[in-house]
Amino acid sequence: MPTLPTMRGHRLIRAALAGAGLVAGLLCCLPVTAGDLVRADVERRFPPPLHVGEKLRDLPAWPLTSELQPDAGPVGYAFESIDLAPIPGFEGTPINLLVAIDAGGKFMDVEVLRQHEPVFLGGLGPLPLQDFVRQYQGKSLKQDITVSSTYGNTRAEGGGNRVVLDGVAKATASVRIVNQSVLAASLAVARARLGFADPGSGAPAAVPKPQPFAAMDLAALIRRGYVQRLSLSNADVEKLFAGSEGAGSDAQALDKPDDLFVEVYVAYLNAPGIGRNLLGDAAWARFRSYLTDERPAFWIATRGRYALVDEAFVPGTPPPRLALLQNELPIELRDANRDYARLPAPGELTSALILTAPAHAGLDPGRPMEFRFSVSRARGMILPVVTQKQITLRYTPPAELFDYPPRPLPEWLQAWQGRLPDLLVIGAALLLLCAALLRPRWIALKPRRLFWFRSGFLAFTLAYIGWYAQGQLSIVQITGAVKSLAAGAGLKSFLYDPVSLLLIAFTLVSLAVWGRGTFCGWLCPFGALQEFVAQLAGALRLPQWHLPPRLARLLARGRYAILALLVGSAALAPAAAERMVEIEPFKTAITVGFQREWPFLLWAGGLLLAGAFVYKFFCRFVCPLGAALTLGGRLRRWNWLPRIEACGQPCQKCRNTCRYDAILPGGAIDYDECFECLDCVGIYHDIRRCGPQRLQAARGRPVEFRRRR
Ligand code: SF4
Ligand code: SF4
């Protein structure tokens, strides 16, 4: 029977401790602050084979890796729009959406987390908005995504790179805000992490440098590269249309091929050395006071026949003939002409505009970008055939105007950096555990001391390692590794979860030194939870059913069958394995803290209840991870738990004490079943509890036992 302290009132202490453990659990299960997701919430939305990594330190996003592509690094990112683009809705507070994009910039999912739009709260209800955001799935950030302005769900056609989402009747403005939030947040993540084509794009955005002002005219600005230009003759444009319906339809171009069609000038206006020179002091001052949110602004002027905007252009809107792209990502430009800019058109320039990009759009003003100008030609009077071509001006901002922050560390290293405090705390705990197992005498000698040490450590394992640091090792890590290896991929994805990796590494070493009991007896959060349930059951005097050891050993073989089934199906039928791993209640009880659907709660609760009557029921008879660790424990090199000749021959004291039936009738330890609770170690070192030693001492003989292995 158990050798926990027998002092009066101790049951009360145990009940208090177990209660404290359970209260800590309940506290961890309280709902998260609305609109502020934690990793577990995201994990619920992106189940295996996807794996949700730690939230990045320099970008509020969770990297998504895939068990099927472990070497690919993140296959996508999930993030809350409110963190990246808090654009106020009509009620004044930002709409919050959970957005996920894949590594190619495609939307994996968009979900409304929080919104206060009156039309969706009191009028239409939330469903139309949910339907609206569903349209993003499969669309790409590389596309020009806009919202239909038609009321009702009339489908508006896109064409080319343009995608038009169905709007929501009576809520067009609200869904436009949603679209802006989704795109701005996604572009920020895409700019920071996806880095299409441009190797430098993985670095943070360049920061404009304060510079002493030097007066320059347009010619000097062009010479310095502050203003960049592109010149096209009529002949150049004719060449653009060659072979298309538009070829030969511009009489003026054919008559005077060498005449200028257009010269386009582009400059990054926020830099004082450019903006103040182009606008003049007074307009520059007004411009600065207008542009308080540091939106990137561009001065774009033209000379020649071509006009940037036609007479139908509405001031304050995006100019339809112009698009801005960076790393192939389109970024909306909007006319920002106000009274500050009665724009001078120096020299022969015929028009000039100031255009701004949204502050949250993720444009890096210090890196190359493309301005695309559309030129169209129409052939025919009735139902004319319109042909459109694009002229591209590649604008490279002058490097001397910017500071370029260094590239961030690789993401896996950032994950490690971000978890450094947790790693240090858990590392210290592991060192303490090593000390206890290497020199167990002092801790194990006094039952009370051992009880408190063990209970304290298990409380740490449950609350800190399990619920807080999410370090519950699981059979999923084994089946995931099997799947990855079966697919011929490596195991790099483990790097993205440093806490688990630390525990895995420690457990592997401990298997060779002490056996499976180091993890199962000390480091498994669900095992710790069962321990507290057992303590509570003891305090409540619930009946304890002690299965006959032979029957227990027979039943224990069931977990190997479960393990074989899971590993086999992981290699042969991954989809089935994903369902079957739910036999482990770890996700329900530890990862998501009991916030799951009722069948999962029922299963986890049932196992804990069984553990209240049969000590460590799940560990001993069901757990496939325990079975795998038992097999791994065969690597153990030493029989480190001390035994003497009298153990089992005839003394059965330790055997009767061991609640895991891990001591054989002959006195030897069955390390496959041992959880390293150290109860028998305490008896071995305590002459008052070890019968043969006490007997020898009573006879006045020196206690000389031959230690056996
Ligand atoms: S047998 Fe399973 S549940 Fe029990 S301690 Fe070991 S790993 Fe955890
Ligand atoms: S054999 Fe293992 S589980 Fe049993 S009492 Fe000894 S240390 Fe504890």
Side-chain angles (χ1 to χ4, degrees):
M1 294 310 293
T3 59
L4 294 176
T6 53
M7 59 181 296
R8 190 178 292 273
H10 199 72
R11 283 179 193 282
L12 215 55
I13 297 167
R14 278 189 282 169
L17 189 67
L22 293 177
V23 168
L26 289 174
L27 287 175
C28 290
C29 301
L30 288 177
V32 293
T33 313
D36 186 12
L37 299 184
V38 295
R39 185 178 168 194
D41 300 309
V42 186
E43 278 175 332
R44 273 199 294 277
R45 290 164 168 92
F46 299 96
L50 289 176
H51 175 79
V52 180
E54 291 296 329
K55 199 167 190 176
L56 301 170
R57 287 180 72 202
D58 59 340
L59 186 77
W62 290 271
L64 304 174
T65 50
S66 170
E67 293 167 8
L68 305 177
Q69 298 166 261
D71 278 328
V75 294
Y77 292 88
F79 45 89
E80 290 182 73
S81 65
I82 203 167
D83 288 332
L84 295 148
I87 301 169
F90 277 99
E91 188 267 350
T93 49
I95 295 167
N96 193 19
L97 304 124
L98 177 67
V99 184
I101 54 175
D102 71 13
K106 262 195 186 157
F107 288 99
M108 299 162 73
D109 200 13
V110 178
E111 181 190 341
V112 180
L113 295 175
R114 187 176 67 195
Q115 58 89 17
H116 297 272
E117 293 303 279
V119 68
F120 292 121
L121 287 182
L124 302 173
L127 284 180
L129 185 54
Q130 289 165 11
D131 290 340
F132 171 80
V133 299
R134 236 172 257 134
Q135 297 176 85
Y136 285 95
Q137 212 163 24
K139 310 279 186 309
S140 170
L141 264 180
K142 292 177 185 172
Q143 295 172 304
D144 179 13
I145 300 176
T146 60
V147 180
S148 160
S149 58
T150 53
Y151 266 61
N153 278 336
T154 311
R155 182 167 291 279
E157 289 304 324
N161 200 35
R162 195 175 172 82
V163 174
V164 184
L165 303 180
D166 293 336
V168 178
K170 302 188 183 125
T172 311
S174 287
V175 292
R176 282 189 186 285
I177 293 170
V178 169
N179 189 43
Q180 217 182 336
S181 305
V182 170
L183 294 184
S186 306
L187 282 168
V189 173
R191 287 280 313 139
R193 280 295 185 280
L194 300 188
F196 299 162
D198 180 359
S201 62
V207 182
K209 269 201 290 210
Q211 285 202 317
F213 176 72
M216 281 179 268
D217 60 11
L218 182 61
L221 289 169
I222 292 172
R223 275 198 304 279
R224 294 285 295 266
Y226 287 9
V227 174
Q228 295 174 19
R229 61 184 169 162
L230 172 76
S231 187
L232 290 169
S233 67
N234 282 329
D236 293 330
V237 178
E238 188 57 44
K239 253 191 242 164
L240 266 182
F241 283 92
S244 73
E245 289 284 348
S249 62
D250 181 354
Q252 197 177 342
L254 297 175
D255 278 357
K256 298 180 177 174
D258 294 331
D259 278 10
L260 181 69
F261 177 74
V262 69
E263 189 157 51
V264 187
Y265 298 77
V266 173
Y268 173 63
L269 203 58
N270 303 55
I274 301 174
R276 198 169 147 193
N277 277 313
L278 284 173
L279 300 182
D281 288 348
W284 169 252
R286 285 197 296 279
F287 169 77
R288 293 303 308 158
S289 62
Y290 167 70
L291 219 65
T292 49
D293 60 357
E294 294 301 327
R295 267 171 293 163
F298 296 91
W299 176 83
I300 301 185
T302 58
R303 183 169 78 82
R305 294 171 57 203
Y306 174 82
L308 271 179
V309 293
D310 59 18
E311 55 286 348
F313 175 65
V314 181
T317 63
R321 294 181 181 176
L322 179 59
L324 168 62
L325 290 93
Q326 192 169 49
N327 297 323
E328 294 300 317
L329 298 171
I331 296 169
E332 185 187 77
L333 281 177
R334 189 171 282 272
D335 173 46
N337 240 333
R338 294 278 175 97
D339 62 341
Y340 64 79
R342 292 170 64 92
L343 288 179
E348 296 174 325
L349 299 190
T350 48
S351 70
L353 283 178
I354 291 179
L355 300 169
T356 58
H360 298 299
L363 179 82
D364 185 342
R367 291 196 166 82
M369 60 196 86
E370 287 184 0
F371 290 87
R372 288 190 189 159
F373 305 90
S374 302
V375 183
S376 51
R377 286 181 175 181
R379 184 184 283 277
M381 299 295 286
I382 304 166
L383 294 177
V385 178
V386 177
T387 310
Q388 204 172 64
K389 294 289 175 187
Q390 287 186 325
I391 305 166
T392 300
L393 190 158
R394 290 187 177 80
Y395 180 70
T396 306
E400 68 210 59
L401 297 179
F402 298 93
D403 283 321
Y404 292 87
R407 288 176 71 95
L409 293 170
E411 268 171 18
W412 67 268
L413 215 49
Q414 284 187 46
W416 282 77
Q417 220 176 32
R419 297 302 300 268
L420 196 58
D422 293 334
L423 293 171
L424 288 175
V425 171
I426 295 173
L430 295 180
L431 284 177
L432 179 67
L433 180 59
C434 285
L437 295 179
L438 286 170
R439 290 275 180 270
R441 185 178 185 280
W442 183 82
I443 287 198
L445 191 61
K446 303 271 184 220
R448 194 174 171 198
R449 189 187 294 152
L450 177 59
F451 169 78
W452 282 110
F453 177 77
R454 189 166 157 72
S455 297
F457 200 97
L458 291 180
F460 169 82
T461 295
L462 174 61
Y464 192 92
I465 295 182
W467 280 323
Y468 167 71
Q470 296 284 292
Q472 169 76 65
L473 300 192
S474 154
I475 193 66
V476 175
Q477 279 147 335
I478 294 179
T479 54
V482 169
K483 278 192 239 176
S484 298
L485 294 173
L491 300 172
K492 198 179 164 190
S493 58
F494 281 85
L495 280 177
Y496 290 85
D497 189 353
V499 167
S500 294
L501 192 55
L502 173 65
L503 289 166
I504 289 171
F506 180 84
T507 301
L508 288 176
V509 173
S510 75
L511 287 177
V513 180
W514 294 296
R516 61 83 66 114
T518 311
F519 178 80
C520 288
W522 298 89
L523 294 171
C524 175
F526 190 75
L529 183 59
Q530 289 177 91
E531 182 77 36
F532 288 124
V533 167
Q535 288 185 18
L536 191 61
L540 297 173
R541 297 176 187 275
L542 296 183
Q544 295 297 298
W545 299 328
H546 193 92
L547 301 183
R550 292 184 76 168
L551 176 64
R553 272 175 215 288
L554 198 66
L555 291 179
R557 290 187 192 150
R559 57 203 171 113
Y560 296 107
I562 296 170
L563 173 68
L565 201 63
L566 284 176
V567 174
S569 56
L572 304 172
E578 282 161 23
R579 309 288 308 165
M580 284 158 57
V581 292
E582 292 293 349
I583 198 167
E584 269 186 351
F586 300 170
K587 198 193 289 179
T588 306
I590 306 297
T591 310
V592 298
F594 293 104
Q595 294 185 33
R596 283 194 94 180
E597 297 82 6
W598 69 265
F600 298 106
L601 296 180
L602 202 64
W603 173 241
L607 290 171
L608 287 173
L609 191 66
F613 296 97
V614 179
Y615 185 63
K616 294 276 181 90
F617 174 83
F618 177 77
C619 294
R620 298 176 63 199
F621 307 122
V622 185
C623 183
L625 178 62
L629 292 171
T630 303
L631 296 178
R634 302 277 164 88
L635 296 171
R636 180 182 42 80
R637 308 309 308 150
W638 302 275
N639 291 340
W640 62 281
L641 288 168
R643 299 276 83 196
I644 54 179
E645 286 296 338
C647 292
Q649 300 159 15
C651 181
Q652 299 292 322
K653 168 88 174 173
C654 291
R655 181 165 174 254
N656 291 333
T657 300
C658 180
R659 302 184 78 184
Y660 298 89
D661 297 324
I663 301 179
L664 301 172
I669 304 283
D670 179 356
Y671 283 86
D672 286 355
E673 304 301 326
C674 172
F675 274 53
E676 298 171 16
C677 70
L678 303 183
D679 282 345
C680 62
V681 178
I683 295 171
Y684 170 86
H685 286 295
D686 187 351
I687 194 169
R688 287 166 304 172
R689 288 189 284 156
C690 178
Q693 292 191 67
R694 203 174 50 243
L695 195 62
Q696 289 282 53
R699 287 175 182 161
R701 295 187 198 150
V703 181
E704 281 179 11
F705 290 105
R706 190 154 50 84
R707 182 138 164 190
R708 95 176 176 208
R709 292 289 170 189

